[in-house]
Amino acid sequence: MSDWHETREELRAFALGLPEAREDHPWGDTVIKVGKKIFLFLGVDEPTDKWRPTFGVKLRSAAHGHALSVEGAAPSGYGLGKAGWVTVPFQAELPPSEVLRDWVEESYRAVAPKRAVKLLDELR
């Protein structure tokens, strides 16, 4: 996908299709949560002088290193990077959509309650 808005919307829609997922807007940003826990940071809707389009996911597997290999990607701020969170710029050359969806699912599995993961496994 060449337009970052399309990629952002694809990730948003995929994340909201996961069991018990919901959208929230703390701090004016768009995030997707399962229960009270965020598993996908989508940022604000449009770039500003201080913000560029990025998304954040929590990765623990080899996907963590893969995500960090995207140009401009970095461990997430506010200490989240130490827990495996990676912030990836939407405007970089991204891997295929299937890989991005895998990252979102891995992030979901990392924070979701066991009952929600079980529901997801039943759907797969």
Side-chain angles (χ1 to χ4, degrees), residues 10 13 20 23 33 36 38 43-44 59 61 65 82 99-100 106:
E10 179 184 345
E20 301 181 19
E23 187 171 310
K33 294 180 173 182
K36 295 181 180 181
I38 297 170
V44 295
L59 303 171
S61 68
K82 293 177 185 176
V99 173
L100 300 179
E106 181 176 330

Side-chain angles (χ1 to χ4, degrees), residues 72-112:
S76 299
Y78 304 103
L80 294 172
K82 293 177 185 176
W85 285 91
V86 178
T87 299
V88 181
F90 275 117
Q91 294 173 316
E93 186 173 331
L94 296 172
S97 294
E98 299 80 38
V99 173
L100 300 179
R101 289 191 302 267
D102 286 347
W103 293 354
V104 171
E105 184 174 325
E106 181 176 330
S107 187
Y108 173 87
R109 289 176 180 278
V111 303

Side-chain angles (χ1 to χ4, degrees), residues 2-23:
S2 58
D3 181 50
W4 73 268
H5 290 94
E6 291 175 15
T7 304
R8 183 179 188 269
E9 181 55 30
E10 179 184 345
L11 293 184
R12 180 183 162 277
F14 176 78
L16 288 172
L18 297 171
E20 301 181 19
R22 65 183 178 81
E23 187 171 310

